[in-house]
Amino acid sequence: MIATHVLLAVLFAALLHAAWNAAVKAQSDPLIGMAWMSVASGVAAGLAVPFTGVPVAAAWPYLLVSTAIHTIYNLLLAMAYRHGDFSRVYPIARGGAPLMVTFVSLVFLREELGDLALIAIGLILLAILGVAWRRTTFEATDDRSLLYAGLTACSICAYTIADGLGGRAAGDPIAYAVWLFFLDAWPTIGVVLWLRRGRFLQAPGRGIAQSLTGGLLSMLAYAIVIWAMVHAPVAVVAALRESSILFGALIGLFVLRERPGRVRIAAMVLLAAAVALLRLA
């Protein structure tokens, strides 16, 4: 049984995760928004580094690999939001990742899946088709968003596995997470500075403020989840975390003023439930 305060904390973390993604989507250029987010998270993590100590040598290969994957993830996510609606990209990226992690576990790690997990996988596939469905050719999105969202899900799968192994090797998940946030900020900033050159510093002040806030929210959401996993079963926390898909639907509808239609809204609800079922299974 999960305590009420832990339950509320994980739901809050899910809301924060959806909120920082929406902050990226809201920028006129999501790539620049993602870079300013990295500035905030990199500086904040850098201030915390002296208090966490240096991870053991065994953790560093995972940190370096995960840093490279996170850089790719940041760029793919920004491109997905540049070409597609938030209510289309966010659920596919979030919902597709655990599906891919399960596939890797099944094929490469030779893990066995029960009937409940297989049912959940089928529901996830059905729900993703519903989310990807486009009502009309005039919807403010294009099919490149599906490609970028799918690749984003692949990168989430990759860094999830790398960080899972790295956190175990480090023996201290907090220190590992702080160093990861510190390390993965700067490659993203460097790539965006090269791609956007002079436009990085010319971003609107309001957009910069939103992005900096988003970077801090991303760190807070991650810290809450790590704390919750100490006080509640990991599977339950992971399942509750997928409520971020539902929060994303609400943010897309009421904050970003998107009109995803009944099919996509229903698919997002089904996706959140199916992913939670898969986590629990």
Side-chain angles (χ1 to χ4, degrees):
M1 188 71 177
I2 185 171
T4 301
H5 70 285
V6 178
L7 169 66
L8 294 176
V10 176
L11 292 177
F12 181 58
L15 174 60
L16 293 180
H17 192 280
W20 77 252
N21 273 262
V24 176
K25 170 60 182 174
Q27 305 308 309
S28 57
D29 188 337
L31 270 177
I32 293 178
M34 185 64 77
W36 279 110
M37 273 190 57
S38 297
V39 170
S41 60
V43 170
L47 294 175
V49 157
F51 303 97
T52 62
V54 180
V56 297
W60 278 95
Y62 298 104
L63 274 170
L64 296 177
V65 169
S66 185
T67 294
I69 297 171
H70 271 86
T71 301
I72 295 171
Y73 159 77
N74 289 337
L75 300 175
L76 288 172
L77 184 63
M79 292 303 295
Y81 285 140
R82 184 179 183 185
H83 293 288
D85 289 341
F86 180 75
S87 60
R88 196 185 202 200
V89 170
Y90 186 69
I92 292 175
R94 289 299 307 168
L99 182 64
M100 293 176 185
V101 171
T102 303
F103 175 79
V104 170
S105 300
L106 180 65
V107 175
F108 296 101
L109 303 181
R110 302 299 181 183
E111 295 183 354
E112 296 183 0
L113 296 180
D115 293 339
L116 195 60
L118 293 175
I119 292 173
I121 289 171
L123 292 175
I124 290 173
L125 291 173
L126 178 63
I128 287 178
L129 289 176
V131 170
W133 181 72
R134 186 165 50 166
R135 289 178 296 159
T136 70
T137 57
F138 300 103
E139 187 177 345
T141 189
D142 65 51
D143 290 333
R144 281 177 292 180
S145 65
L146 293 179
L147 173 62
Y148 286 118
L151 292 174
T152 300
C154 291
S155 64
I156 294 174
C157 169
Y159 77 60
T160 297
I161 295 172
D163 290 341
L165 296 173
R168 292 177 185 177
D172 184 350
I174 299 296
Y176 180 90
V178 168
W179 275 89
L180 178 61
F181 271 104
F182 175 67
L183 291 173
D184 75 29
W186 312 113
T188 298
I189 295 169
V191 171
V192 174
L193 279 172
W194 177 69
L195 290 174
R196 294 296 185 260
R197 294 178 175 84
R199 283 188 283 168
F200 179 73
L201 296 176
Q202 295 174 359
R206 181 179 178 183
I208 293 175
Q210 288 177 341
S211 299
L212 293 174
T213 302
L216 297 177
L217 293 181
S218 69
M219 291 191 67
L220 178 58
Y222 196 83
I224 291 173
V225 169
I226 292 176
W227 170 84
M229 287 181 177
V230 176
H231 295 86
V234 172
V236 175
V237 173
L240 287 171
R241 193 183 183 190
E242 302 310 328
S243 60
S244 63
I245 296 173
L246 299 180
F247 288 124
L250 295 174
I251 290 173
L253 188 62
F254 295 107
V255 178
L256 299 178
R257 302 296 182 182
E258 296 178 353
R259 293 294 177 263
R262 295 179 181 178
V263 171
R264 189 178 298 168
I265 291 175
M268 292 170 78
V269 174
L270 175 61
L271 181 59
V275 170
L277 180 63
L278 179 61
R279 297 284 197 182
L280 291 174

